[in-house]
Amino acid sequence: MTALQQPARAEGPSRPPVRVPFPVVDEVARHCLQEEEPETVHIEVHLPGRLDEGRLRTAFAQALGRHPRILMREAPGRWYRRRYEWELTAEPDVEVVSFPAPGRNALRDARTRALTEAPPLTLSPPIRLEVVQRSGPVEGSEATDAVDGTRGGAPAGGKAVGETQGRAPAGERAVAGPPSARIPAPGPGAPLGTVLFLTINHTALDGPACLRVLATAAEIYGGRDNSPAAAPVRTQETPPATEETPSNWSPPARVAPGTPEPSPGNGMLVTELPLPHRPKGSPYTVNDQLMVTTALTIAHWNREHGDRPRPLRITMPVDDRPRDATMPIGNGTRLVEVPFTPAELAAHAPADMPALLHRTATRTRALKSLSRPQLGHGAALLTAPLAPVAWRAAVTRGLRRAAAPWTSTTLLSNIGRIPYALDFGADAGRAHAVWFSAPARMPRGLTVTTASTAGRLHLALRWSRALLSHGDGAHLRDLFEHYLHSTEVTE
């Protein structure tokens, strides 16, 4: 049985809880937990209205009951056991929904908690939902409610953060495109709305699975249909001949260090951008544009910091699960790596961009079509129950350290268009912005997560404080915005 099967819940007080062995993804994550960098996924859903506390608690509890696989905790066991096991519970061990006191820093503090306080694995379910009454600007980070205040001021990587705002980065040709529309702060007398913060222990669950549970809660609360929208139809074309790509045996580029911060953990910045335009019938997708944008952003950042050009490899999660009520709950994505050569990232003038986008689309389609284990065959071998789990944990951590130079450059997780309306009814309304962020542990030290809602792109940059600072994050945000515009080409 894997984590993605949905066994029947144990019924009756006399029955012991059902136990499920950790699948590969969960076990590897459990082996490598670090207290200083909690392995959390954060989902941030912005609603225009207010939610009733009692009704939301009831709706979310019923949603958990409709997706019983989320009600789990790590079962206790002796050191010589061969497996970690999940214990499935009939009810939550803790109150999942909380309503922190509203205030000027409520948004910032909720983001901080999402990065620093992982829900414990020993209590069911390993998630929490905080309901924050919003005040102040939406965009920003966990350190300040308005990172934009650093534009033109504090240096990032040796230059003012504002130097890339509204014009091309130094040495690059400007690309025409609309300026990003910043979400305004509510005016006097305007409704402040509500922000739902869902914090997930990534050892047990991933973001798409928990978004499915939240969509069920929205449907119960508001009484409106939250069925997933149909997936967009992709243009099919004959795959070209296999191209030569950088070898996976060659260590890829690392994100160059910026101005590390003394405190451990992750930093994060969220922002809203226009969705990039692409010609109708293009063989590439918005995901391919985001992949190229991420690669060009990191290549530019590394050039600024004096790193010699090296091949980039960007990890891309692939999720083949259905999005309806039958969606398996757990860690359900598989990871593939998209390579880029230094030469193709050096040639990114407007005339070169169509070819780069086409090559990227070819690679991503080929990788998505591969049938392979979630973390590869090596991870499946590591988690085979041939020795006590404590011994396997030590071996896994040692191999992780040894393989650090071959770890991909960064991770781009594009959730895509949010498939659910997340409509909580007349009073609370429908979600107008949804952000996700993924853990950013070293040696990668940087993750890029995107989703689109209401025709806008919601970008979250998350980084290890051992690698970057908030000024660095703001500068990377500006580079990303510039290169995203550069992918809008007319063929």
Side-chain angles (χ1 to χ4, degrees):
M1 182 181 295
T2 71
L4 298 181
Q5 292 175 317
Q6 302 185 55
R9 294 167 63 185
E11 303 216 358
S14 60
R15 293 189 181 183
V18 174
R19 289 194 172 193
V20 180
F22 273 35
V24 171
V25 175
D26 300 15
E27 181 171 319
V28 171
R30 177 67 177 81
H31 288 335
C32 300
L33 289 180
Q34 292 181 353
E35 186 175 345
E36 60 271 20
E37 289 189 304
E39 196 83 352
T40 62
V41 171
H42 131 274
I43 306 176
E44 188 174 322
V45 178
H46 290 250
L47 303 172
R50 298 296 182 94
L51 291 162
D52 177 80
E53 181 172 343
R55 284 178 60 199
L56 182 64
R57 290 185 192 276
T58 300
F60 201 77
Q62 291 180 16
L64 295 176
R66 292 190 188 182
H67 301 277
R69 186 56 184 80
I70 199 171
L71 290 171
M72 59 180 171
R73 63 186 173 223
E74 184 182 340
R78 300 187 181 277
W79 71 268
Y80 51 79
R81 57 182 163 165
R82 296 299 177 96
R83 284 193 180 278
Y84 295 118
E85 292 180 309
W86 292 120
E87 200 169 62
L88 307 185
T89 66
E91 302 292 339
D93 293 332
V94 292
E95 176 57 65
V96 177
V97 182
S98 63
F99 286 73
R104 181 176 177 274
N105 296 324
L107 198 61
R108 180 198 68 187
D109 294 344
R111 286 178 180 145
T112 300
R113 287 190 294 273
L115 300 187
T116 59
E117 301 174 15
L121 295 175
T122 52
L123 295 176
S124 170
I127 63 171
R128 68 170 177 269
L129 178 64
E130 297 183 61
V131 185
V132 177
Q133 295 179 1
R134 176 164 59 87
S135 63
V138 170
E139 294 182 280
S141 75
E142 89 293 350
T144 170
D145 284 332
V147 168
D148 286 320
T150 63
R151 290 179 185 269
K159 62 189 291 186
V161 176
E163 286 187 25
T164 59
Q165 174 63 12
R167 59 187 178 88
E172 303 292 342
R173 181 176 177 272
V175 178
S180 64
R182 303 298 175 193
I183 302 172
L192 297 181
T194 301
V195 185
L196 302 177
F197 278 89
L198 194 60
T199 304
I200 306 154
N201 194 315
H202 198 18
T203 301
L205 300 156
D206 59 19
C210 292
L211 188 68
R212 172 62 260 180
V213 176
L214 190 61
T216 300
E219 185 168 307
I220 295 170
Y221 182 97
R224 296 182 177 177
D225 185 20
N226 274 264
S227 299
V233 178
R234 304 300 185 194
T235 302
Q236 299 293 327
E237 68 172 20
T238 304
T242 305
E243 60 175 338
E244 185 176 345
T245 57
S247 167
N248 285 343
W249 296 104
S250 174
R254 304 254 63 85
V255 176
T259 309
E261 298 185 3
S263 57
N266 281 186
M268 178 178 68
L269 183 150
V270 303
T271 193
E272 181 182 86
L273 300 170
L275 271 173
H277 168 75
R278 63 189 178 95
K280 187 176 181 180
S282 298
Y284 55 85
T285 65
V286 171
N287 183 75
D288 298 319
Q289 290 175 279
L290 294 168
M291 186 65 64
V292 168
T293 298
T294 302
L296 291 174
T297 296
I298 294 175
H300 183 112
W301 171 268
N302 284 356
R303 285 197 306 272
E304 283 187 337
H305 290 76
D307 278 16
R308 67 184 181 90
R310 292 192 58 80
L312 265 65
R313 288 209 305 270
I314 300 178
T315 294
M316 176 180 72
V318 178
D319 194 348
D320 302 316
R321 292 173 291 181
R323 291 296 188 261
D324 59 17
T326 66
M327 181 180 187
I329 303 300
N331 277 312
T333 59
R334 52 193 172 90
L335 302 180
V336 299
E337 293 186 355
V338 183
F340 292 90
T341 66
E344 63 188 351
L345 295 179
H348 56 267
D352 302 314
M353 188 59 69
L356 178 56
L357 289 167
H358 280 252
R359 286 196 301 272
T360 302
T362 299
R363 293 170 192 170
T364 57
R365 282 198 307 272
L367 289 166
K368 288 177 182 178
S369 67
L370 293 176
S371 177
R372 66 190 296 273
Q374 286 177 282
L375 296 182
H377 297 283
L381 181 62
L382 272 177
T383 55
L386 304 176
V389 71
W391 296 1
R392 298 204 309 275
V395 171
T396 301
R397 288 191 291 269
L399 289 175
R400 179 187 175 97
R401 287 190 295 269
W406 289 270
T407 302
S408 64
T409 307
T410 189
L411 176 141
L412 168 65
S413 179
N414 176 35
I415 306 300
R417 185 180 64 187
I418 299 298
Y420 317 106
L422 297 177
D423 190 341
F424 283 82
D427 294 334
R430 175 185 295 219
H432 57 82
V434 181
W435 278 280
F436 289 72
S437 75
R441 285 174 52 178
M442 298 297 283
R444 286 193 191 103
L446 174 70
T447 60
V448 181
T449 313
T450 55
S452 64
T453 308
R456 305 289 291 175
L457 181 71
H458 296 100
L459 165 70
L461 298 177
R462 188 161 157 181
W463 58 85
S464 171
R465 294 175 185 268
L467 183 72
L468 303 170
S469 67
H470 283 86
D472 299 327
H475 183 45
L476 284 165
R477 180 262 322 271
D478 292 341
L479 291 174
F480 191 96
E481 182 175 3
H482 163 68
Y483 284 114
L484 186 64
H485 292 325
S486 77
T487 66
E488 298 179 325
V489 296
T490 302
E491 299 190 38

